Structures are given as structure tokens and as C-alpha cells.
Amino acid sequence: MDVAGSILFFSFYEGLVFGLVAIGVYLTLRVLAFPDLTVDGSYTLGGAVAAVLIVAGVNPFLASLAAIGAGFCAGLLTGILNTKLRIPALLAGILMMVGLYSINLRIMSGANVSLLREVTSFDIIADLFGMRAGSIGVSIILALAIAAAVFFVLNWFLRTEIGLSLRATGDNEQMVRSLGGDTDKNVLLGCAISNGLVGLAGAIVAQGQGFADVGMGIGMIVMGLASVIIGEALFRPKGVARLLVAAVGGAFAYRLFITIALRMGMAPGDLKLITAVLVVIALAIPYIRKKVRREWIPPAVRW
Amino acid sequence: MSTESLLTLEKISKVFSRGTVDEVKALDSINLVVRAEDYITVIGSNGAGKTTMLNVVGGVFPPEKGGKIIVDGADITNLSEYKHATYVGRVYQDPNIGTAAKMTIEENLAMAVLRGKSRGLRAASNKKRREEFRQALAPLKLGLEDRLNTLVGTLSSGQRQAVALVMSTISRPALLLLDEHSANLDPRTAQIVLELTEMIVKREKITTLMVTHNMELALRYGNRLIMMHEGRIVVDLNQEQRTGLTINDLITAFERASGSKFSDDEVLLKG
């Protein structure tokens, strides 16, 4: 396989997996208008739960389901902090992120858990299709199957009565309440689903790279944000289905960009800074454009 | 007209900022019996407690202890706001509050049609519901029935308020609260929205409370008029009593009842 091909395939796989994080961020930030920073913690949580269970001999697919459950609970708790205790969304997420750091250390009884000698979901898929374990084809099949399932379920769910109520909550909370919708419940549900997806992404990545590490989630929220913003800029999506595709597409573009940067000799440690700068630029562009056109500019949001 | 009581307010009080220098008694032990199919206009100067009364009935905040709100036989005093919505539809002064800008007309109505019903995993809209939405929008004669997929944020304020009005009534709540819902619109659009209100309220036979700052409107619409002052109802006129009244008669009635000079420039100017 030539270099360009391998970069593309690898980015495609990463785009699909991190697309789950992007969809999670899209659900909270764009659908619920709830800037949820739990992501950094719930991603690691998913990886930690899955890794520990796999080492304990649990079926890797069941372990991944458990990771979804763990992320779901983390999101639920963030939602409870916000809706029941009225802690601002941003702060609720930060508190959860910090708290989860200790919890993740406890779950793993240390800073990391190795999966190198364990049978992971990737190995089972490789066996099933008679492919070489650890090949990029196996990774893509698994990631594609999961991403497709998530896409179909969410695309259906967001059009149901509950899903519509959830979307409306992010648009106009007061209207939803005045029409008999329980906005607190919607926020809880949205945060929970979002972090469940993020936890799943953590579980898949941990199995793919052969270990879970307490620092694996650092910067995940910014990466998810970057993916959502890039996706929106590239696809200009309208409607639920296209927005979901845009989130995954954005994650793919982002990973492609990062992989190329690495190939060009960029140090891995610099990537977080590049991501942060990317998001700053993407967020500043609409403002600068308005400034140039002398349009009215709304005051900066402080959440 | 039925004599049955649809809304009963018993000893409803509301105090804001209790125990501080800003303490305000917004509602002072209000008692009100609204019969089914009453269309009451509520008038009063700023700070009289009109909107506070609607907020209490709508469940935005509960009344002080000892107060009771009964709608259609159900005691809803301590239910949360979204549960009040089962009984109470509401149109706000600002059309932006009553509608969701980033959703289509169809999606907005799909939210509204489920008032008081449990929301499940059925599709939010379908062919049958779309037909229902078209039929609800057609009488407005704004052409909105052919624009179900239009984002509500792209409509004019008047169109949005018309949509909000349909949304508040499409599931036929027992009670409709209108909080100066035509005040933010230009005179012509306000006129249209008021006529639509009249049409829908008459057709659906919904019991209605309409708060307004405009005495002329308060006399023209509805079958009963109440005037509020410092958290109390000081004037309550039924259909016969208010027939033939002028704005000046109202001001006189107000001054006699409240014992104070009527001084709301806004009302006088609009009158």
C-alpha cells in the first residue's frame, strides 16, 4: 500500500471512531446548546472500563457495551448537576471531568491497563472475516459497522417525539416547557446519550491501540469541537441526517489533517496546540467576517 | 354560556424578594372564578400584577402558601410548569418565546400537538399530522399551510405570532393565556393577530385570559373585563356592565375602585 493510501485509510478509520466523539459533542453543543466538557473524562472512562473488563475475561463486545453504560451514567450525572442543582453547564462538565480523573485511576488501579495479550473486538472481527489481526481493513470494518449503527439509531431517534422535544429544548427551552415538555429530562437524556457515545469511542480506541491510559482523553472535547466546526464548514448541513454525516466527515478531515502533519515531521506533542489554534481560527472567522462587513456583532457568549 | 367554573384562583398571593428592601407584593390574595368559555380581558398599569397572575396560572412559579389554583376540576397549584401546560396554553408578548426559530413550522406544530400527552418513540410527524397542521394553519390565510418545511426563524414577527397562536391552541387546552400578545407587532399585524385570536377562541370555545395595556382592546374583545391594581382585582365587569362603556368610563371606574389617580401614560396614549 502506498503512503497516500495508508494515510487515507488510517484517517478514515480514525474519522469513524472519533466521529463518535464528534457526534457526542454535536448532540450536547449544537442540539442541546449545552457546552459539555465531561467528554475528556467520559472518553477515558469508556476506555478504562472496557480495558479492565477485557482483562478480567469479559467478552470485548460486552465490555464495550459496559463502556457505553459508564459514559451514559457520567453524562447523566453532569445533567443532574446542571438541572437539579443548577450548576452552570460549563462548570458541571469541568467538575465531572476532574472527578472522573480520580475515578479512572481507581478503575484501572493505576495510570494504564495493557490489552496487548488480550483478545479485543478487533481480533474477533479479524477471525470472523479470516483477515490478518491488526490490519487496517479489520479496523475499518469494525469502526464502519459501529458508526453506521449509531448513525441509523440517532437519525431515527432525533425524529421521534422524544427526539424532537430534545432538539427543541436546545432551541427554545421556555417554549418546550410551555408545551408540556420536561426540559430537565431532555437535558439529562441528551448528556447521557452523548457521553455514552464518547465512552464507546474510548473503548474502541483503547482496544485498537492495545491499552487504556488515564491521559487518553485529554483534549478530546477540543478535538470533538474542531470536528463539529470543520464538518459544518465543509458540508453546510441542513437537517438531522446531514448534520450527523457532517460530524463524522469533520472528524475525518481533522484526523487527515493531523496525520499529514505528523508525517511531515510535526512532533506529536505539538498536535494539541495545533488543534487549539484550529478551533480558535474557526470560531474567529465568522466574527472577523462580520467586522469586515461592518455588520452587527452580538456580545461574546460567557455561558 | 356555561356557569361551571373552569378556573378558580383562591387567595393567590406572590411576594418577590421577600425580606429585602426590594420586597414587592406582586399579588395580594387574589380570588377569581372564571366560567367555562369566558373570554376575560385583563387591564392595569405597570406593576399591577397582570403578568405575575398569568405566570402563577402558567406554573412559572408557585403562589405563596395557602393559595390554590384549580383548572377544570384539577388542583394544579404545586405542579411544575411543564405539567401546567396540560391545562394551560400560552402566547407571549415576544413571538420568539412561543416558537422555536431553528425548527420548521411542521416541527414546531409537532411539538405543540403533543401538549398533555406523553412523548414516546413514535415518529414526531406523519402524513396524518401534516394534514392536521395544514388545516390548522389554513384559516390564518397567511399561506403558511404550504410552507410546513420553512424554518420559523425566517418568518416575520406577525407570522411567528400567528404560528405561536396556533401552537397554543391546536391541542385544545382548557385555558388560554394571552400576555399582551399583540403589543410587539405593528398595528396592522396586531389587528390580524387579534382577529385570528377571536376566531380561534370562538371556534374552539377555549376559556381565555387576555392581558393588555390597551383599554380599547380590553373593551372590544371578550365578554368580561377585570382591572388590576397593586396586586388586587379592583374592577370586574361582566358583559352587560361593560356594554357601551368608553375608555373614560373605565378610568373613572378604576379611580373610584382603587382610590388612586390613573397614571399610566402608555394606556392613555394607546387609548
Side-chain angles (χ1 to χ4, degrees):
Chain A
M1 204 189 308
D2 60 356
V3 176
S6 97
I7 290 179
L8 268 181
F9 278 122
F10 189 65
S11 304
F12 185 54
Y13 157 70
E14 288 206 313
L16 290 170
V17 178
F18 290 113
L20 296 176
V21 178
I23 290 176
V25 172
Y26 159 70
L27 272 182
T28 45
L29 188 73
R30 289 289 193 251
V31 175
L32 273 182
F34 186 108
D36 178 21
L37 300 189
T38 316
V39 171
D40 277 23
S42 56
Y43 178 81
T44 314
L45 179 69
V49 166
V52 166
L53 287 178
I54 289 171
V55 170
V58 175
N59 176 299
F61 289 111
L62 284 181
S64 304
L65 278 182
I68 298 179
F72 191 92
C73 292
L76 206 59
L77 212 53
T78 309
I80 288 172
L81 291 183
N82 177 249
T83 58
K84 303 300 175 195
L85 300 178
R86 292 290 187 263
I87 296 173
L90 217 50
L91 190 54
I94 292 174
L95 291 171
M96 284 299 296
M97 185 208 291
V98 170
L100 281 172
Y101 188 84
S102 300
I103 290 177
N104 292 332
L105 282 173
R106 282 277 174 197
I107 290 174
M108 296 190 288
S109 321
N112 47 54
V113 171
S114 171
L115 290 172
L116 289 177
R117 289 166 202 286
E118 310 295 335
V119 175
T120 66
S121 305
F122 292 90
D123 300 323
I124 294 178
I125 294 288
D127 262 5
L128 202 64
F129 290 91
M131 294 166 82
R132 189 170 54 81
S135 69
I136 189 71
V138 173
S139 306
I140 288 180
I141 289 174
L142 180 68
L144 196 59
I146 291 172
V150 167
F151 171 80
F152 283 115
V153 169
L154 279 184
N155 189 29
W156 159 78
F157 173 72
L158 289 174
R159 294 163 200 273
T160 63
E161 293 167 355
I162 295 178
L164 182 68
S165 181
L166 205 142
R167 281 154 60 203
T169 300
D171 196 347
N172 186 343
E173 207 167 323
Q174 181 162 15
M175 179 202 81
V176 174
R177 275 198 297 276
S178 81
L179 294 174
D182 186 346
T183 49
D184 283 1
K185 204 172 79 186
N186 290 339
V187 169
L188 293 182
L189 190 63
C191 287
I193 295 175
S194 161
N195 284 288
L197 290 173
V198 173
L200 176 62
I204 301 298
V205 168
Q207 293 175 62
Q209 67 190 13
F211 65 92
D213 181 271
V214 75
M216 68 191 272
I218 295 175
M220 240 345 111
I221 179 67
V222 181
M223 192 224 71
L225 206 58
S227 303
V228 168
I229 292 168
I230 293 171
E232 285 175 343
L234 289 181
F235 298 87
R236 306 208 170 276
K238 287 196 182 72
V240 173
R242 286 194 199 177
L243 276 160
L244 291 172
V245 172
V248 178
F252 168 66
Y254 169 75
R255 295 312 303 190
L256 190 64
F257 181 78
I258 293 293
T259 312
I260 291 172
L262 279 173
R263 290 269 175 168
M264 284 166 57
M266 202 75 87
D270 295 337
L271 291 183
K272 305 268 188 218
L273 177 65
I274 295 174
T275 308
V277 172
L278 209 66
V279 172
V280 169
I281 293 173
L283 289 177
I285 282 175
Y287 166 73
I288 293 167
R289 192 181 290 154
K290 280 187 180 172
K291 192 102 180 158
V292 170
R293 291 183 189 161
R294 295 176 166 273
E295 285 176 36
W296 177 78
I297 299 162
V301 179
R302 302 230 162 73
W303 280 326
Chain B
M1 191 201 300
S2 156
T3 51
E4 174 197 356
S5 148
L6 190 119
L7 167 71
T8 307
L9 299 182
E10 266 177 48
K11 293 196 198 129
I12 298 291
S13 298
K14 188 72 206 174
V15 181
F16 291 120
S17 309
R18 187 190 287 282
T20 72
V21 285
D22 298 325
E23 183 169 311
V24 179
K25 198 157 197 182
L27 291 177
D28 188 0
S29 200
I30 282 192
N31 292 297
L32 180 68
V33 174
V34 181
R35 284 159 306 183
E37 296 177 38
D38 261 356
Y39 182 172
I40 302 183
T41 53
V42 183
I43 198 160
S45 47
N46 289 327
K50 309 181 298 287
T51 298
T52 306
M53 182 170 79
L54 290 203
N55 279 337
V56 167
V57 175
V60 176
F61 36 68
E64 302 301 325
K65 281 209 175 77
K68 219 171 180 187
I69 310 164
I70 294 162
V71 176
D72 219 3
D75 185 340
I76 62 168
T77 316
N78 294 310
L79 296 184
S80 52
E81 184 183 1
Y82 79 92
K83 284 184 179 155
H84 276 242
T86 304
Y87 306 92
V88 184
R90 189 162 182 189
V91 184
Y92 301 86
Q93 181 172 354
D94 183 355
N96 299 336
I97 298 177
T99 51
K102 284 177 244 160
M103 305 206 311
T104 63
I105 296 178
E106 178 179 351
E107 288 170 331
N108 270 274
L109 286 167
M111 278 298 297
V113 82
L114 288 174
R115 173 198 303 281
K117 300 192 182 85
S118 68
R119 290 165 209 266
L121 292 173
R122 292 171 296 270
S125 191
N126 54 38
K127 215 175 162 189
K128 195 171 141 242
R129 284 212 180 129
R130 272 193 289 279
E131 191 45 46
E132 187 188 341
F133 299 159
R134 279 196 197 94
Q135 280 175 13
L137 291 168
L140 305 183
K141 297 196 171 66
L142 296 170
L144 296 175
E145 63 275 18
D146 300 321
R147 299 174 62 190
L148 285 183
N149 286 323
T150 305
L151 291 181
V152 167
T154 63
L155 301 178
S156 69
S157 317
Q159 289 171 326
R160 273 184 89 159
Q161 199 64 319
V163 172
L165 188 62
V166 170
M167 285 170 69
S168 66
T169 51
I170 192 166
S171 51
R172 297 184 180 76
L175 185 65
L176 177 63
L177 306 179
L178 306 169
D179 191 357
E180 297 189 58
H181 71 310
S182 64
N184 265 12
L185 307 172
D186 66 78
R188 203 182 69 89
T189 316
Q191 183 63 28
I192 293 173
V193 165
L194 284 166
E195 275 162 18
L196 293 174
T197 308
E198 182 82 353
M199 179 186 76
I200 291 173
V201 167
K202 287 249 166 72
R203 191 185 62 204
E204 306 290 348
K205 300 188 171 35
I206 301 177
T207 311
T208 303
L209 285 175
M210 177 168 87
V211 163
T212 176
H213 256 310
N214 184 323
M215 292 216 178
E216 193 202 330
L217 294 182
L219 284 171
R220 190 181 336 145
Y221 294 103
N223 64 356
R224 182 175 166 192
L225 183 152
I226 62 179
M227 237 183 183
M228 295 181 72
H229 180 66
E230 291 176 350
R232 285 172 295 118
I233 295 173
V234 291
V235 177
D236 186 344
L237 304 172
N238 65 24
Q239 181 75 308
E240 293 94 66
Q241 290 166 324
R242 51 165 239 173
T243 311
L245 285 192
T246 63
I247 292 166
N248 279 331
D249 296 335
L250 268 188
I251 294 174
T252 314
F254 172 84
E255 286 175 348
R256 199 180 309 133
S258 69
S260 70
K261 195 110 180 75
F262 194 92
S263 59
D264 186 338
D265 296 343
E266 203 177 344
V267 173
L268 291 175
L269 288 173
K270 276 188 186 168

